[in-house]
Amino acid sequence: MELSDIRAKIDAVDDQLLSLFLQRMDLAEEVAAYKNEHHLPILNKQRERAVLAKVTERAGARERYAYHLFSTLFELARSRQAELINAPTKVGDQVIASLNAGDQLFPQTGLVACQGVEGGNSQTACDRIFPRGNIMYVKTFDAVATAVEAGFCKFGVLPIENSSNGSVRAVYELLQEHKLSIVRSTRLCIRHELLALPGVKMEDVTEIYSHQQAIGQCSRFLEGLKGVKVIPCDNTAAAAKLVAESGNRHAAAISSHPCAALYGLECLNSHIQNSDNNYTRFICVAKDPVIYAGASRVSLIIAFENKPGALYEMLSKLAALDINMTKLESCPVVGSDFEFVFFIELEADCRDSGVLAMLEELERSCAQFQFLGNYAEV
């Protein structure tokens, strides 16, 4: 038999498969109507398990492929049912309230909590997000979250991840602890320099100050130094300010070029970071959840049951709607035995009814589910 003959037969089978698939989806919609009327959950694991057992038994040597085919069919049917069922969910209420609260355009001004001092990267991120913003500086990331949650500031800006040094876990922990919503994000190209008092030479330096993230981003340079103590501090700009005010001619700071001019320091070395492609993402958080026009990113924190296939089930829900996942990171739960939460970011807009239905289905099926926001990155 020629290849063209085989393909013709495949085309005929595909036509039958499509017709049967559409019939199956019609029946899934009838099931959704019944479940809606009788207030039944979408997932019936016992029923799915029974069907999969029958399918794998009948499929013989191809049982693995049959299992995955029918698992995908179940996921597609559940995704469609989730769009049709009216069962209330926390995330559904939150998204609808956020959409109703959103203005047409993101505000250009407001009182913004920012960790650090003038000249820091967080201040640059604040200026990018709020061109006419009024910045209130605080000492710690926790103080930013507290100021927003307590209503002292309408917005707060926090670093969330760096392309060279990974996620800022402390900020993710704050998002879990505080009732805050992400309403905007931005990405800055970071350039670190080694700064010291005028006239200080590299061989004079015995201690270097900077933020822990910047220290990690310049780790190769620092590892090559002999007899130099590296001291973490609150902020890269705070490190420059500390060196300037101390008058210590044996101290240097890993900070930015603008901080040199701001605090009267000189650059000893402008090529100290591990990578020239060094970017930090900052998020803007607010107390009240709001989805502004142009939102295209969704951030979540979720946890699954500790069982085989749990992550696959979540990913299949995204695949069913062609949603791109831009971040998936696991973090161990403190005090537990091998339990993890996952930080997830998606390219999605909650104005799409399919996206909202998917989020509601995730909430129903996950052991823990936290919707952090739907927002734009500028």
Side-chain angles (χ1 to χ4, degrees):
M1 187 180 295
E2 296 293 329
L3 180 60
S4 58
D5 297 328
I6 299 173
R7 285 176 172 167
K9 290 188 175 184
I10 288 175
D11 290 342
V13 171
D14 285 346
D15 289 340
Q16 297 176 56
L17 283 174
L18 177 59
S19 177
L20 290 171
F21 171 73
L22 294 175
Q23 291 180 48
R24 195 183 195 288
M25 292 299 284
D26 287 340
L27 292 169
E29 292 181 5
E30 292 183 28
V31 170
Y34 183 91
K35 289 179 176 178
N36 222 3
E37 183 180 350
H38 294 83
H39 308 291
L40 297 175
I42 293 175
L43 178 62
N44 185 337
K45 199 64 182 178
Q46 185 176 0
R47 157 78 177 165
E48 290 186 7
R49 193 177 289 111
V51 173
L52 289 172
K54 181 175 68 174
V55 165
T56 53
E57 183 180 352
R58 293 173 59 186
R62 298 172 184 148
E63 55 88 14
R64 176 183 299 176
Y65 306 101
Y67 182 94
H68 286 293
L69 170 63
F70 276 80
S71 294
T72 302
L73 287 174
F74 289 150
E75 189 55 57
L76 293 170
R78 276 191 261 111
S79 295
R80 179 57 181 150
Q81 288 179 29
E83 294 180 48
L84 301 173
I85 284 180
N86 298 323
T89 59
K90 182 179 177 181
V91 69
D93 293 341
Q94 187 177 351
V95 166
I96 291 169
S98 300
L99 289 170
N100 291 337
D103 298 325
Q104 188 63 26
L105 296 174
F106 189 80
Q108 299 293 292
T109 187
L111 184 58
V112 188
C114 173
Q115 186 267 344
V117 296
E118 189 73 22
N121 292 314
S122 291
Q123 175 244 306
T124 304
C126 283
D127 289 343
R128 178 175 290 187
I129 296 172
F130 298 98
R132 299 187 299 278
N134 181 16
I135 298 177
M136 184 181 84
Y137 291 107
V138 295
K139 286 200 67 175
T140 64
F141 294 153
D142 184 71
V144 172
T146 301
V148 175
E149 190 173 38
F152 300 134
C153 295
K154 186 171 183 181
F155 302 104
V157 169
L158 293 162
I160 193 72
E161 67 177 331
N162 176 265
S163 58
S164 300
N165 211 40
S167 295
V168 185
R169 289 289 178 86
V171 172
Y172 274 110
E173 290 170 6
L174 287 174
L175 291 172
Q176 290 179 269
E177 295 168 7
H178 296 265
K179 294 181 180 179
L180 301 175
S181 179
I182 302 175
V183 295
R184 207 71 159 181
S185 70
T186 192
R187 187 183 300 261
L188 295 183
C189 183
I190 306 297
R191 290 287 179 264
H192 294 304
E193 297 183 358
L194 189 67
L195 308 180
L197 291 169
V200 171
K201 298 185 185 323
M202 189 65 226
E203 54 266 29
D204 300 328
V205 174
T206 59
E207 53 193 53
I208 295 175
Y209 296 85
S210 195
H211 185 265
Q212 194 67 57
Q213 278 280 327
I215 291 169
Q217 293 160 30
C218 302
S219 58
R220 293 176 195 161
F221 168 77
L222 294 172
E223 287 166 3
L225 300 178
K226 303 281 189 189
V228 176
K229 186 177 182 181
V230 179
I231 305 168
C233 63
D234 292 338
N235 181 275
T236 55
K241 184 179 181 182
L242 183 153
V243 170
E245 293 178 349
S246 71
N248 185 351
R249 303 188 65 80
H250 296 287
I254 295 175
S255 192
S256 65
H257 186 75
C259 280
L262 186 62
Y263 295 109
L265 301 176
E266 291 183 351
C267 177
L268 294 180
N269 192 331
S270 61
H271 300 284
I272 62 173
Q273 58 195 37
N274 296 347
S275 171
D276 289 334
N277 187 31
N278 186 21
Y279 288 85
T280 295
R281 281 187 65 225
F282 293 82
I283 55 171
C284 176
V285 295
K287 181 179 180 180
D288 299 320
V290 181
I291 299 176
Y292 292 97
S296 59
R297 284 176 174 263
V298 170
S299 289
L300 309 169
I301 298 176
I302 64 177
F304 316 114
E305 288 184 55
N306 190 5
K307 63 176 184 179
L311 180 59
Y312 170 80
E313 287 181 10
M314 186 277 293
L315 295 176
S316 65
K317 298 180 196 300
L318 306 182
L321 292 172
D322 292 324
I323 293 176
N324 184 39
M325 181 169 58
T326 57
K327 181 183 181 71
L328 174 64
E329 182 173 348
S330 63
C331 178
V333 177
V334 177
S336 66
D337 293 330
F338 302 105
E339 291 183 17
F340 294 85
V341 295
F342 291 83
F343 307 134
I344 296 175
E345 288 187 6
L346 312 172
E347 289 182 347
D349 185 348
C350 287
R351 291 173 177 83
D352 182 338
S353 60
V355 171
L356 179 54
M358 179 271 296
L359 294 175
E360 291 185 304
E361 181 60 13
L362 280 176
E363 182 184 320
R364 295 185 190 105
S365 59
C366 291
Q368 177 186 336
F369 179 90
Q370 186 177 355
F371 175 75
L372 296 176
N374 184 198
Y375 54 94
E377 182 159 297
V378 296

